[in-house]
Amino acid sequence: MRFNIFKKVPGITHEGAPARELTVEQKLRRSVLSCLLWENEFYEDGQTIADRILALAVEVPSEILAALAVEARELMKLRHAPLMLLCALIAKGGPMVAPTIERVIQRADEMTELVTLYWRNGKRPLSKQMKLGLARAFVKFDAYQLAKYDRDGDVKLRDVLFLCHAKPRDTAQAEIWKQLVDKTLASPDTWEVALSGGADKAATFTRLLGERKLGYLALLRNLRNMDQAGVDEALVKDAILARRGAERVLPFRYVAAARAAPRFEPWLDQALAETILEQPVLKGRTLILVDVSPSMNVRLSAKSDLTRMDAAATLASIIPGDVRVFSFSNEVIEVPPRRGMAGIDAIIRSQPSNGTLLGKAVTHVNAIKHDRLIVITDEQSQDVVPDPVAAKAYMINVASARHGVGYGTWTHIDGFSENVLTFLREQETFQLNVSEA
C-alpha cells in the first residue's frame, strides 16, 4: 500500500483546464462513487485510484467514511469500492465499524471479499469491531444465499464464520451453519449449478423463470443464452417487463443486454423506460450536456463491453420532463431528446469523439433559455469552464479522476446510478422548502 502519492501539482484537469480546489471529502467522493475498484480508467490506473481512496479515507472523520460506504453500496450500487472504505474504517476503529459492516454487506460473498481485501498485505488479526460486524452480517443470510456463494477461494465462508464467532439466531440456523462447515449444504438452485451439471439450457431457464428463481441481473446477462437455447419468447418478455429485482441493476445494464440479444431490445427499452416513470417530472426546461470525448469511450472494466459514454448516455436518456439534449466533444451538437435506447444511440452517434471542450459547450447552452442545466461528464475539460447562468446547475461526474471543474456555483454529484437523479430532485425540493419558509 502506498500513502505517499500526493505531490504538489497544479490544480488542473488531465486535459489542462483549471480545476476547483476541493476538500478532502470532495476528493474522496469523486474517487469512490464512480469507481469499479482496481479497474483502469482513461487517465489513471486502478491501483492509483485505490491508493488515493485509502490515503484520503485516513483524513476524513469516521462518520463521513461510514456514510460514504453506505451511500456507495446502497445508492450507487457499487460492490468493491465500499469494501475498500470499510477497510479504512476498520483501521480507524471505533463503535461505527460493526454497524457499518453489517449494513454495507448485502451479499454473502462480500464477507469473504472484505476479509481478503483486509488481508491484501498479509494476514493479521481481525479487530473486535470487525468480528462483530461480520458476525451480525452472517446472520442475515439463509441456506440458499450461503450455498450460492460458498466458493473455493483463499478465504471461504466457513473461514469467516470461524474468524468472527457468529452466534446463530436459532437451532435451524445453527444447523445450516453446521452444514456449511461440513460442506454438506444442498447445492443452490441456480442456472450455473444446473448447467454445470449437464441440464438442458432451455428447460433450466424455463423452469427458473417460471419459478421466479432467476435474479434480474442474471436474466439480463443470460438473454443471449436463452435466445440461443430457444426459451419461450413470451416467458422471457414477461420476466423483463416484471423487473423483479431491477432496483439493484444499474441503468446501463439494459444497454449491455440489448447489444447481446437485440431481439429483446423492445422490451428492454420498455423496462428501462419504467425508470423514467418512477421519477416525478422535473419542472421547467432542462438542458442536458453529455460528454462524448475520447476519455468517455473507454470500457468500464476489463470484462465489460460498455463504456462511461454508455453509462452517461443512458443516464441522460432517463431524465424526465421537458428536455433538450446536447453532446459535446470538440463541437456542441443538439440531438433529438429521445428516451431509452433511441436516446442513447442518438447521443453516442451524434459526433466524432475528439476533444473535451466543456467550457465551449457550457458557453453555448448558457445562451439558451432554460431553468436547469445537467452536465454528465468525467470533468477533464481542455478549456476554462464558465459558471452556469441557471440557478439549478448540476455537474454529474462519472469517473474517478483526481481533479474536477464542476464545483463552486455548480451542484456537484458523483456516480452513474439513476439515484443521482433522486438526489437532484431532493436537492431542489429542499431548496424550495427553504425559500418558502
Side-chain angles (χ1 to χ4, degrees):
M1 181 187 344
R2 296 183 289 118
F3 288 99
N4 58 337
I5 60 174
F6 291 121
K7 300 177 181 179
K8 285 287 185 179
V9 295
I12 59 174
T13 69
H14 284 286
E15 292 294 339
R20 299 281 185 169
E21 289 296 323
L22 306 181
T23 66
V24 174
E25 181 182 352
Q26 288 173 327
K27 292 176 182 177
L28 182 59
R29 289 181 65 84
R30 67 176 295 110
S31 295
V32 168
L33 292 180
S34 299
C35 177
L36 303 181
L37 195 62
W38 311 120
E39 297 291 350
N40 296 337
E41 297 186 8
F42 185 84
Y43 294 106
E44 298 176 331
D45 63 76
Q47 184 64 54
T48 297
I49 296 169
D51 288 344
R52 183 168 65 248
I53 289 172
L54 281 175
L56 292 168
V58 170
E59 299 186 48
V60 300
S62 294
E63 294 80 5
I64 291 175
L65 189 56
L68 184 57
V70 171
E71 181 181 353
R73 185 67 184 97
E74 293 185 352
L75 297 182
M76 295 303 123
K77 306 176 184 179
L78 302 174
R79 290 193 55 233
H80 294 98
L83 298 183
M84 179 66 85
L85 294 180
L86 287 182
C87 287
L89 185 63
I90 293 165
K92 283 177 172 287
M96 299 198 70
V97 173
T100 307
I101 290 175
E102 179 185 7
R103 183 166 175 180
V104 168
I105 290 178
Q106 297 180 10
R107 270 180 32 171
D109 60 335
E110 289 168 0
M111 295 187 291
T112 57
E113 290 176 4
L114 176 60
V115 174
T116 301
L117 195 55
Y118 183 74
W119 282 347
R120 66 194 176 281
N121 295 315
K123 286 189 176 182
R124 50 188 169 137
L126 274 56
S127 70
K128 181 178 179 181
Q129 279 285 309
M130 184 178 179
K131 290 179 181 179
L132 180 58
L134 287 169
R136 291 176 180 175
F138 219 104
V139 175
K140 295 194 293 186
F141 302 109
D142 59 23
Y144 174 86
Q145 294 165 316
L146 292 174
K148 182 176 180 179
Y149 295 110
D150 186 21
R151 297 164 178 163
D152 285 329
D154 291 336
V155 180
K156 302 175 180 62
L157 283 173
R158 65 196 300 270
D159 299 328
V160 176
L161 183 59
F162 292 147
L163 287 166
C164 71
H165 307 295
K167 304 295 183 185
R169 287 191 304 260
D170 48 37
T171 55
Q173 189 167 64
E175 178 58 29
I176 290 170
W177 289 2
K178 182 178 185 302
Q179 293 172 10
L180 174 68
V181 171
D182 295 338
K183 299 182 179 181
T184 57
L185 273 177
S187 295
D189 188 11
T190 65
W191 66 272
E192 298 100 326
V193 170
L195 297 186
S196 65
D200 177 78
K201 273 190 180 183
T204 296
F205 285 123
T206 298
R207 179 180 62 80
L208 292 175
L209 287 172
E211 296 175 359
R212 298 185 178 182
K213 290 184 177 179
L214 194 65
Y216 202 67
L217 183 56
L219 168 69
L220 297 185
R221 285 177 167 171
N222 279 287
L223 288 179
R224 178 187 289 169
N225 285 336
M226 294 182 201
D227 189 19
Q228 294 173 345
V231 177
D232 180 67
E233 181 182 276
L235 190 61
V236 178
K237 172 187 172 182
D238 289 346
I240 292 172
L241 296 180
R243 299 179 71 244
R244 287 184 292 272
E247 68 277 0
R248 292 178 177 268
V249 175
L250 288 162
F252 59 76
R253 298 290 187 189
Y254 294 92
V255 182
R259 291 178 184 173
R263 66 173 293 203
F264 296 117
E265 180 174 308
W267 304 305
L268 290 165
D269 195 22
Q270 187 175 339
L272 179 59
E274 292 294 323
T275 307
I276 306 170
L277 299 176
E278 288 170 354
Q279 303 181 52
V281 173
L282 299 174
K283 295 181 179 179
R285 167 66 58 83
T286 301
L287 301 187
I288 305 169
L289 270 177
V290 184
D291 189 345
V292 294
S293 64
S295 60
M296 294 285 287
N297 204 27
V298 174
R299 291 185 298 173
L300 286 165
S301 71
K303 295 181 180 180
S304 175
D305 292 328
L306 295 176
T307 66
R308 276 184 162 73
M309 192 185 300
D310 292 321
T314 305
L315 197 57
S317 79
I318 61 173
I319 294 175
D322 177 12
V323 302
R324 289 179 65 180
V325 182
F326 301 80
S327 71
F328 73 90
S329 184
N330 274 356
E331 304 298 331
V332 188
I333 304 293
E334 184 164 10
V335 299
R338 297 168 181 157
R339 304 300 190 188
M341 301 296 177
I344 296 165
D345 287 342
I347 293 168
I348 292 174
R349 300 172 186 271
S350 61
Q351 63 174 297
S353 185
N354 291 314
T356 314
L357 297 178
L358 175 54
K360 175 182 177 180
V362 173
T363 299
H364 178 86
V365 297
N366 272 348
I368 301 172
K369 185 178 180 180
H370 61 283
D371 302 287
R372 181 186 299 100
L373 174 60
I374 299 174
V375 182
I376 309 174
T377 175
D378 64 7
E379 292 187 81
Q380 301 310 296
S381 181
Q382 292 174 244
D383 55 350
V384 177
V385 179
D387 288 338
V389 296
K392 303 171 185 176
Y394 305 89
M395 188 77 72
I396 300 178
N397 172 49
V398 294
S400 301
R402 181 184 299 180
H403 296 298
V405 296
Y407 297 84
T409 54
W410 296 89
T411 297
H412 192 272
I413 309 173
D414 295 290
F416 39 59
S417 163
E418 75 279 8
N419 282 312
V420 301
L421 303 179
T422 302
F423 173 84
L424 182 155
R425 187 175 65 253
E426 291 175 350
Q427 171 81 2
E428 293 191 3
T429 301
F430 172 78
Q431 291 173 341
L432 179 64
N433 291 339
V434 169
S435 66
E436 293 178 346

